[in-house]
Amino acid sequence: MSPDSLEIERDMKPALALALVLLAAPAASASDLARGKIVDRISCAGAPEETYALYLPSGYTPDRAWPILYMMDPRARGGLAAEQFRAGAEQYGYLLASSNNSQSDGPIEPNFKAMRAMWADTHARLRIDDRKVYAAGFSGTVRAACMLARTAPGTIAGIVGAGAGYPFDAPPKKGDPFVFFGTVGDKDFNYYEMMDLEPRLAATGIVHRIEIFDGIHQWPPAELATRALGWLELQAMKAGTRTRDSGLIDALWTGTLARARAAEAAGDLFQAHRLYAGAADDFAGLRAAADVAGAARKTAELAANPALQREEKERALRMKHDKELLEGAPAILATANAGEPATVAQVVGMLKIHELRDKAAHAKDADERLSAQRVLNTLGVQTGFYLPQMYGERKQYDRAIFVLSIAAEVAPDDPFVWYNRAAAYARKGDRKRALADLRQAVDKGWKDRAALDGEEAFAPLRQEPEYQQLAGRLAPKPAGGGL
């Protein structure tokens, strides 16, 4: 989120509300669009530079209005994002419109523009139920989705937030006009944010659910994405924007209880407690009172279980320790700017990187392993992406190399780190080290020939025999290939 995001929001509010509610640029009919498969690139009639991936369920007809999920991937990968929700969209009858222009880690305006264009184009082409319009984002685009929903109240009924929550400077508040389904990987560097978001949503009375899955910073797996749409259907039934469907309620109830019981049987009391509590909240008013009371009773029984109480206490201490370490990291990493900078080895020691790697690999306690990996992933994204990006933009290549060298200690087998350090060395003019790091990147699995061919930093190296040999190991991207 850029510092001026709120100013952008204020400036765009009237235009955005008008665009979302009224704008409908002329567009081709949906009659010639495929059903049951993702169409990777649809150009918006009113803004042809804006494109999106579109999915129409196999049964789509314009005879009735359909719910829609607008999606914003942080790297403009519309088809990739839509693929995660495709099975759920087919099952629940959702249209998917996923931008090929959305972005994170920069100005928010491109996401506003993408949403305006998709909204207008889909409303011109398709029959949409405007009571059931939803937005999904991943990472920084979740924050954009929250701002959009607030900017034009009543247009977006719910948000699916993958790996991030609200804008940092605009937290949840009472009266926010949407429900929120969050997902987070148990090794995601934004795990702490999502766990802190949960009580804030509860305190403001916002209807919500946050689900944890086995993964990193990513869109939710297809199975969880499908459950997100099922949850939105439950909320629509409660809100009266969807006809009550007893069969669907029964199926979703059965699935939720099955997951809760499986977690309990596996000894994962933390997840079991969350799932039973979610069942009691989500199905209140939809299932028989006795069923909901049974889920609430299981929630209370688990909360009183000494084993879960010990786990919760240990978990709270571990989270506190992790946050304290991460809160101190910026000051340690700032030594790259000091008059007498520390060595990479000294910074690695102060950040306890080798100790964390050992815990992530060998700790007997699974939660301790996850905790260490989350901290490493948080340090890794800072030293491997955000800080070198900032230093590169400032042409401070030595500092970019310094933090990337720390990232190489955090994740020595990550080809992305070696590739980026090779580019930093190339920009500095150190051909020898650039080629050495590029070899490391390829040896460790770098496969993106298109990125290599398009990287201007490597232009001075392209006549070098070693560069040509490395490039030759990468298959060129086929013409007409996917996203």
Side-chain angles (χ1 to χ4, degrees):
M1 180 64 62
S2 61
D4 60 348
S5 58
L6 289 182
E7 189 64 37
I8 292 172
E9 179 185 2
R10 285 192 293 270
D11 291 346
M12 298 186 67
K13 189 173 291 188
L16 177 69
L18 179 64
L20 291 184
V21 177
L22 300 176
L23 182 59
S29 159
S31 60
D32 57 345
L33 294 173
R35 270 69 162 166
K37 64 177 291 185
I38 294 171
V39 180
D40 281 336
R41 192 166 294 273
I42 301 288
S43 292
C44 295
E49 72 281 4
E50 294 285 337
T51 72
Y52 60 97
L54 177 67
Y55 179 80
L56 303 181
S58 56
Y60 174 80
T61 71
D63 298 336
R64 67 176 180 86
W66 296 69
I68 188 167
L69 181 70
Y70 290 106
M71 307 179 68
M72 296 182 289
D73 181 77
R75 298 291 177 263
R77 303 164 300 184
L80 180 149
E83 179 58 35
Q84 299 307 108
F85 287 82
R86 180 181 57 79
E90 182 68 22
Q91 180 173 340
Y92 295 113
Y94 274 62
L95 314 176
L96 301 177
S98 184
S99 176
N100 291 317
N101 299 83
S102 51
Q103 66 179 40
S104 184
D105 308 314
I108 201 170
E109 185 175 5
N111 297 315
F112 278 54
K113 183 181 178 184
M115 179 63 88
R116 286 199 305 268
M118 287 194 296
W119 184 287
D121 198 74
T122 52
H123 276 73
R125 293 179 190 270
L126 306 167
R127 182 87 183 278
I128 293 171
D129 184 349
D130 280 324
R131 302 170 306 162
K132 296 181 67 184
V133 172
Y134 305 99
F138 165 35
S139 198
T141 60
V142 182
R143 310 188 203 288
C146 291
M147 290 176 65
L148 282 161
R150 280 180 169 174
T151 299
T155 58
I156 296 175
I159 290 171
V160 179
Y166 282 56
F168 295 120
D169 47 8
K173 63 183 180 182
K174 289 184 179 181
D176 277 341
F178 50 86
V179 299
F180 187 94
F181 187 99
T183 69
V184 65
D186 57 6
K187 294 173 282 294
D188 190 338
F189 52 79
N190 277 347
Y191 180 87
Y192 308 99
E193 175 192 343
M194 296 301 280
M195 291 298 96
D196 288 345
L197 175 63
E198 200 164 30
R200 292 176 183 173
L201 290 169
T204 54
I206 296 169
V207 176
H208 68 280
R209 182 69 49 234
I210 293 181
E211 293 274 357
I212 304 167
F213 63 91
D214 178 8
I216 55 173
H217 191 59
Q218 63 187 82
W219 282 105
E223 183 271 336
L224 180 51
T226 298
R227 281 199 274 130
L229 296 186
W231 185 83
L232 291 176
E233 290 297 277
L234 288 177
Q235 303 312 316
M237 285 186 238
K238 286 186 173 184
T241 56
R242 187 202 197 283
T243 303
R244 187 180 178 119
D245 183 335
S246 298
L248 177 56
I249 293 169
D250 290 347
L252 293 171
W253 169 262
T254 300
T256 300
L257 282 194
R259 287 190 298 276
R261 289 165 179 159
E264 187 177 10
D268 190 348
L269 302 185
F270 173 70
Q271 280 281 48
H273 180 262
R274 291 171 60 83
L275 289 165
Y276 280 119
D281 287 344
D282 295 339
F283 291 89
L286 297 176
R287 286 286 296 192
D291 291 338
V292 175
R297 186 166 54 252
K298 283 295 301 183
T299 304
E301 289 173 1
L302 285 171
N305 187 323
L308 180 57
Q309 291 176 350
R310 285 194 300 271
E311 182 180 340
E312 291 279 17
K313 184 176 180 180
E314 291 170 0
R315 173 184 170 78
L317 289 172
R318 190 175 290 116
M319 293 277 282
K320 182 174 182 291
H321 173 268
D322 291 352
K323 289 178 182 179
E324 288 174 350
L325 193 157
L326 291 171
E327 286 167 3
I332 295 171
L333 290 169
T335 57
N337 290 324
E340 297 180 2
T343 65
V344 168
Q346 287 171 329
V347 172
V348 166
M350 287 187 283
L351 292 173
K352 303 180 180 180
I353 287 172
H354 292 160
E355 177 184 333
L356 288 164
R357 284 180 54 195
D358 183 65
K359 284 183 179 180
H362 305 298
K364 292 182 180 179
D365 183 83
D367 287 335
E368 189 172 1
R369 292 196 300 273
L370 285 172
S371 170
Q373 190 60 60
R374 282 193 294 267
V375 174
L376 285 170
N377 290 347
T378 307
L379 295 173
V381 75
Q382 289 297 324
T383 58
F385 180 72
Y386 288 111
L387 288 173
Q389 181 183 64
M390 179 184 73
Y391 291 137
E393 289 170 354
R394 297 175 180 176
K395 302 187 186 306
Q396 296 173 321
Y397 302 126
D398 282 331
R399 291 174 180 173
I401 290 165
F402 183 89
V403 291
L404 282 162
S405 299
I406 297 167
E409 296 291 332
V410 173
D413 294 323
D414 185 351
F416 182 85
V417 172
W418 296 97
Y419 179 89
N420 280 351
R421 200 173 74 167
Y425 273 125
R427 292 186 183 98
K428 183 185 174 183
D430 192 332
R431 297 189 180 195
K432 182 177 179 180
R433 287 178 172 162
L435 287 168
D437 275 5
L438 195 56
R439 178 171 292 280
Q440 285 275 28
V442 174
D443 287 347
K444 292 178 184 296
W446 183 269
K447 300 182 185 303
D448 194 340
R449 174 66 182 271
L452 184 69
D453 290 342
E455 177 52 71
E456 293 182 4
F458 295 135
L461 308 181
R462 294 206 166 102
Q463 300 308 312
E464 298 276 355
E466 185 174 3
Y467 178 92
Q468 294 173 359
Q469 186 269 334
L470 290 170
R473 290 169 57 184
L474 306 178
K477 185 176 182 179
L483 293 174

